[in-house]
Amino acid sequence: MLDGALPSMTVLIVSGFRVGGLMVTAPIFSAQSMPHSLRVVVTLVLAFTVSLAVEIPAEWATENPMLLIPVGMSEFLVGAFIGFSLNLVFAAFQLAAGVSEPQMGLGMSQVMDPLSGSGVGLLTQLYGTFGNLLFLSLSGHLLLIGMLVRSYKVIGFGEAVLGPQGLGIITGLGAGLFELALTFALPVLGVMLFAQFGQALLMRAIPQMNIISVGFIIVILAGFVTLGLFLPYMGEYFTHMLLRWFEEFPNQLEAFKA
């Protein structure tokens, strides 16, 4: 009985490598507020589910688990890349908040982020919470698990290779991060630019006015009014980018196929 159980356990371990990589980098799942024991349980449950849903080649059901170390490392990196690629959309959303905060006069505001376990800006926390709620409202966690299962059809066990094409995909994602962040931040930055220009005109027209104290309040109010007007549209665009990622990511994943 033990001899027959060993290959089955090996298959479970093999399927758990990619799941484990996803749990380390994926949004929501990689949050520091998530207990480690719960993360281990979720990883094991997903690994067991994947081992039933995906056909694993018989040659990986070996009785020598040490032979699985090289393929396990590549499988872990595939799962980590899936979560990392999706996390860039969230990072762009929060980077836009980090760029907008100083312009709105909120550069000194700090709150504790329960997901990262560190202090972040007030606007960054708002954008992060808003993005997570949108992700969950789309059942993004279920779509992400479905993407994980789908990834086995694109890259089978032991077929992942990091070549020049894969490196090009990774660098392209980094460049796209800043482009997407600028798109999210444009409404607030544009209004703040006009607000600063208006302050300069008032200072020139009425030198006696203490424009620094008055302008500080005006800038903050203008920033929050802009957020109230444009945040729904930013949420729609963020949702669009999430759905676009789920559609286009399998094509990017093919760059890592041997």
Side-chain angles (χ1 to χ4, degrees):
M1 179 181 297
L2 186 60
D3 294 339
L6 185 58
S8 301
M9 182 61 66
T10 305
V11 170
L12 179 62
I13 293 174
V14 169
S15 59
F17 282 119
R18 191 175 298 191
V19 176
L22 179 71
M23 295 294 293
V24 171
T25 58
I28 306 296
F29 295 106
S30 62
Q32 291 190 8
S33 58
M34 187 176 185
H36 295 292
S37 57
L38 177 59
R39 190 174 302 173
V40 171
V41 171
V42 173
T43 301
L44 292 176
V45 171
L46 289 179
F48 178 74
T49 304
V50 168
S51 65
L52 297 178
V54 178
E55 183 179 356
I56 300 178
E59 57 266 22
W60 298 123
T62 175
E63 296 184 0
N64 186 2
M66 297 300 296
L67 298 177
L68 298 175
I69 293 179
V71 68
M73 294 178 61
S74 64
E75 287 294 300
F76 182 87
L77 292 177
V78 171
F81 177 71
I82 296 174
F84 170 76
S85 177
L86 178 59
N87 218 352
L88 287 180
V89 182
F90 288 81
F93 203 39
Q94 292 183 317
L95 179 59
V99 172
S100 304
E101 280 171 347
Q103 308 303 322
M104 290 178 56
L106 300 175
M108 299 297 293
S109 62
Q110 292 284 321
V111 295
M112 179 60 66
D113 182 12
L115 294 181
S116 62
S118 60
V120 297
L122 180 63
L123 199 59
T124 303
Q125 175 67 14
L126 173 64
Y127 277 40
T129 303
F130 186 51
N132 290 330
L133 291 176
L134 287 175
F135 180 72
L136 294 175
S137 67
L138 293 172
S139 298
H141 55 299
L142 301 179
L143 293 175
L144 183 58
I145 295 173
M147 178 61 68
L148 175 67
V149 176
R150 186 180 176 184
S151 68
Y152 287 97
K153 298 180 180 179
V154 180
I155 300 180
F157 287 96
E159 296 181 356
V161 173
L162 182 60
Q165 190 175 2
L167 291 175
I169 292 292
I170 295 176
T171 54
L173 290 175
L177 166 66
F178 295 99
E179 180 181 353
L180 185 58
L182 181 61
T183 304
F184 285 130
L186 271 179
V188 175
L189 293 181
V191 172
M192 292 300 100
L193 177 63
F194 281 105
Q196 297 292 342
F197 182 70
Q199 291 183 54
L201 291 179
L202 285 176
M203 186 179 296
R204 187 71 175 178
I206 313 176
Q208 299 81 5
M209 178 182 293
N210 188 0
I211 196 64
I212 296 178
S213 59
V214 177
F216 185 72
I217 300 175
I218 294 176
V219 166
I220 294 179
L221 290 177
F224 278 108
V225 170
T226 305
L227 281 180
L229 293 175
F230 285 94
L231 196 59
Y233 300 101
M234 294 166 63
E236 291 182 5
Y237 187 68
F238 179 76
T239 303
H240 168 73
M241 294 305 299
L242 287 177
L243 296 177
R244 179 180 175 183
W245 181 88
F246 283 109
E247 292 178 0
E248 298 182 355
F249 182 73
N251 297 329
Q252 298 178 356
L253 200 58
E254 290 181 354
F256 297 89
K257 187 174 182 179

